[in-house]
Amino acid sequence: MTSTTQQQIAAAFKTLMLTMPFKQISVTLIMKQAQLRRQTFYEYFQDKYDLLAWIFNAEAGTDLEESVNYEHWTSSLLDLLNYLETNRAYYRNALAISEQNSFDQYFLAHTKQLTDIIVRDLLKTKNIPLTGEYISFLREYFSRAVVSVIVDWLQDDQPTSPQYLSHQLQTVIEDTISGFLIRVQ
């Protein structure tokens, strides 16, 4: 359950991320913006990287994990793209982080988990037996491709609509899966 204090800290952080680079934002600055004591931050988060990941998970991640499966993955993808579009400026700043705990690495790890669910559900639905090694390859392939396309889309100054991008990603993924199904039959 999300606390009001966590939401207050997250809102302050997101406000700061719209006007300044991540590197310039300190815990002290976040808490000053939130009008809370600095120590309160550490009751909820380890550091600002943890806060960044928490915001994505709280606002988009949990809903995606609960609703994603092979049958509904396309609507989950569109929901994610709509969320990212609404928060484009914030996530553009988040993606500019090139340090050890960068958001793109967190986003990739999150996408791998979702892709794993989709691929395993697809294989089960289509009754296709596969080895763990090839499942891992599919997860890696789709995750990296989707994240790369979404990151480029977020950084584009004149992006296509979330609906268009979702349709394009759907088409490529479904065509790849169709080709795979033809090969294994």
Side-chain angles (χ1 to χ4, degrees):
M1 177 175 241
T2 302
S3 80
T4 304
T5 304
Q6 284 173 299
Q7 292 172 341
Q8 189 175 350
I9 294 168
F13 179 66
K14 286 180 78 172
T15 298
L16 292 168
M17 285 278 284
L18 296 176
T19 60
M20 59 191 342
F22 180 82
K23 282 186 177 188
Q24 293 178 5
I25 300 172
S26 65
V27 171
T28 302
L29 194 56
I30 295 167
M31 298 311 282
K32 183 177 179 181
Q33 177 76 24
Q35 299 179 338
L36 295 168
R37 292 179 319 110
R38 184 177 188 277
Q39 291 75 12
T40 303
F41 180 91
Y42 297 105
E43 293 174 20
Y44 299 96
F45 307 104
Q46 292 178 357
D47 54 28
K48 62 185 184 176
Y49 298 95
D50 187 32
L51 172 57
L52 182 66
W54 182 87
I55 289 170
F56 178 78
N57 195 48
E59 293 183 355
T62 304
D63 289 342
L64 286 173
E65 287 172 9
E66 291 173 359
S67 67
V68 74
N69 57 38
Y70 180 65
E71 187 178 337
H72 299 105
W73 74 270
T74 55
S75 62
S76 296
L77 176 62
L78 182 56
D79 290 346
L80 172 63
L81 293 173
N82 283 325
Y83 166 77
L84 292 170
E85 173 68 16
T86 301
N87 295 279
R88 177 179 293 278
Y90 170 78
Y91 283 106
R92 284 178 88 163
N93 195 355
L95 288 165
I97 303 164
S98 60
E99 299 165 24
Q100 180 178 344
N101 297 320
S102 62
F103 176 73
D104 63 334
Q105 292 303 312
Y106 173 79
F107 187 47
L108 177 61
H110 185 78
T111 304
K112 283 181 184 181
Q113 291 174 349
L114 298 178
T115 303
D116 190 54
I117 293 167
I118 294 166
V119 168
R120 289 181 189 279
D121 196 33
L122 164 68
L123 298 176
K124 186 178 174 183
T125 301
K126 302 289 183 181
N127 199 25
I128 302 169
L130 273 186
T131 64
E133 193 173 295
Y134 194 68
I135 290 171
S136 294
F137 172 79
L138 287 174
R139 181 188 74 176
E140 193 72 23
Y141 173 80
F142 285 127
S143 298
R144 289 188 180 278
V146 168
V147 167
S148 179
V149 169
I150 290 173
V151 166
D152 287 349
W153 173 74
L154 280 170
Q155 294 173 339
D156 194 338
D157 289 331
Q158 295 181 331
T160 59
S161 71
Q163 294 78 12
Y164 178 81
L165 181 59
S166 177
H167 176 74
Q168 294 299 96
L169 286 169
Q170 270 180 248
T171 301
V172 169
I173 292 170
E174 287 174 355
D175 287 354
T176 303
I177 290 169
S178 295
F180 169 74
L181 290 175
I182 290 169
R183 186 173 61 80
V184 297
Q185 289 178 345

